[in-house]
């Protein structure tokens, strides 16, 4: 059936109003300026026990601090031309000041959670997979959070979402990795948001970047567009958010 033209134009106007409403309502929590304090790979001495496990002495370490006493270390080294190997280890500082390479008994909160809580009033916080992706978001002045490997469980996630909600966050926008694991984690995040009644939007990676490779993430997208300014990157990210909404 062919609709009368007045109905067509009326529907177009309605959709236009909805888009404007969403643009007003969904605002990402942002830093005052792009972050410049991201952890950098360092050539520090590799613990002997790690060398025995196959990590070469020339490996570089990037240390992501979750708190003043808890961190995750990413060890990376070259195995072939342009190919790299990596391993991730948890560490903490014990009450007696000694370092122990384990998770420890204390709870781990989401990476950069306190920063997100500080800037989330009436804004949507960006959730991603991995500390590197959080730092990519921070480099374009967007507040991001992620969870430490063994903390990808609904109870741990809901605790942090509750902190965002108490801080006045409007909701969580989750940018999953472009693979099956990413989708499963997105469903976990969505379920956790529902349990604390925090609005949640799950982005489609290809809505942000049509050419997103399999296993690609926000870091791949940003690195593939070095010519784009921070403002333009955020605009394109917002387009994906509007589609998700």
């Amino acid at each position: 059936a062919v609709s009368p033209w007045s109905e067509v134009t009326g529907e177009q106007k309605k959709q236009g109003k909805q888009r404007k409403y969403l643009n007003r309502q969904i605002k990402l929590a942002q830093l005052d300026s792009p972050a410049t304090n991201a952890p950098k790979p360092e050539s520090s001495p590799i613990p002997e026990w790690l060398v025995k496990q196959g990590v070469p002495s020339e490996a570089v370490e990037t240390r992501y601090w979750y708190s003043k006493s808890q961190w995750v270390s990413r060890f990376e080294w070259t195995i072939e031309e342009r190919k790299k190997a990596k391993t991730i280890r948890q560490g903490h500082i014990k009450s007696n000041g000694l370092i122990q390479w384990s998770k420890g008994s204390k709870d781990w909160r989401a990476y950069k959670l306190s920063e997100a809580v500080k800037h989330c009033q009436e804004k949507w916080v960006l959730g991603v997979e991995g500390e590197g992706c959080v730092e990519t978001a921070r480099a374009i002045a967007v507040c991001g959070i992620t969870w430490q490997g063994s903390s990808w469980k609904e109870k741990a996630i809901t605790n942090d979402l509750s902190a965002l909600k108490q801080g006045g966050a409007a909701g969580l926008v989750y940018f999953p990795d472009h693979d099956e694991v990413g989708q499963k984690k997105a469903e976990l995040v969505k379920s956790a948001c529902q349990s604390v009644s925090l609005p949640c939007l799950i982005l489609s990676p290809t809505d942000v970047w049509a050419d997103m490779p399999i296993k690609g993430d926000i870091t791949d997208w940003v690195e593939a567009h070095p010519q784009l300014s921070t403002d333009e990157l955020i605009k394109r990210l917002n387009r994906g958010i509007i589609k998700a909404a």
Side-chain angles (χ1 to χ4, degrees):
V2 178
S3 299
W5 185 245
S6 59
E7 291 184 15
V8 174
T9 56
E11 183 63 26
Q12 289 175 340
K13 289 179 180 178
K14 179 182 177 182
Q15 292 175 351
K17 289 180 179 179
Q18 289 174 337
R19 283 193 292 270
K20 289 180 180 178
Y21 174 78
L22 291 171
N23 273 315
R24 286 201 310 270
Q25 295 300 311
I26 301 174
K27 294 182 179 180
L28 283 174
Q30 293 185 231
L31 303 174
D32 297 330
S33 60
T36 58
N37 60 347
K40 298 290 191 297
E42 295 184 3
S43 299
S44 52
I46 305 300
E48 185 177 344
W49 64 272
L50 263 180
V51 174
K52 290 180 179 179
Q53 291 184 7
V55 178
S57 57
E58 68 270 17
V60 295
E61 177 190 5
T62 305
R63 187 168 290 195
Y64 299 96
W65 288 90
Y66 276 69
S67 72
K68 291 181 179 180
S69 62
Q70 299 164 305
W71 77 90
V72 165
S73 284
R74 176 190 176 107
F75 296 95
E76 196 169 38
W77 63 96
T78 301
I79 52 175
E80 296 177 21
E81 185 179 356
R82 296 186 179 181
K83 288 188 178 181
K84 292 187 176 182
K86 68 177 181 180
T87 187
I88 309 294
R89 293 291 188 275
Q90 304 157 332
H92 72 280
I93 301 174
K94 299 170 66 174
S95 57
N96 60 7
L98 296 178
I99 288 177
Q100 185 168 345
W101 287 93
S102 68
K103 184 177 181 180
S105 58
K106 292 183 179 180
D107 290 336
W108 286 57
R109 307 308 301 268
Y111 185 61
K112 297 300 179 184
L113 177 65
S114 58
E115 184 176 81
V117 170
K118 179 181 177 181
H119 294 88
C120 75
Q121 185 70 36
E122 298 182 356
K123 305 287 178 60
W124 291 65
V125 174
L126 184 69
V128 291
E129 186 178 336
E131 298 89 0
C133 289
V134 171
E135 294 301 341
T136 294
R138 297 179 71 242
I140 59 172
V142 173
C143 288
I145 62 170
T146 192
W147 288 271
Q148 181 271 331
S150 60
S151 295
W152 280 94
K153 297 176 182 177
E154 189 160 335
K155 182 179 179 180
I157 294 174
T158 54
N159 286 340
D160 296 332
L161 296 177
S162 295
L164 290 178
K165 188 174 180 180
Q166 291 172 5
L172 184 82
V173 174
Y174 187 69
F175 192 142
D177 286 3
H178 188 34
D179 57 17
E180 187 176 349
V181 174
Q183 288 304 311
K184 288 181 179 179
K185 288 186 174 180
E187 288 301 318
L188 176 62
V189 170
K190 181 179 178 181
S191 176
C193 283
Q194 290 173 340
S195 68
V196 297
S197 299
L198 183 70
C200 178
L201 290 175
I202 306 298
L203 289 178
S204 169
T206 53
D207 280 345
V208 178
W209 180 25
D211 297 324
M212 179 72 75
I214 297 299
K215 297 185 181 296
D217 54 30
I218 187 174
T219 298
D220 294 311
W221 170 59
V222 171
E223 290 180 349
H225 299 85
Q227 76 283 5
L228 297 181
S229 66
T230 291
D231 288 343
E232 184 58 32
L233 286 168
I234 293 175
K235 284 181 182 178
R236 295 196 182 195
L237 183 58
N238 280 329
R239 290 173 196 164
I241 292 172
I242 296 303
K243 287 185 179 180

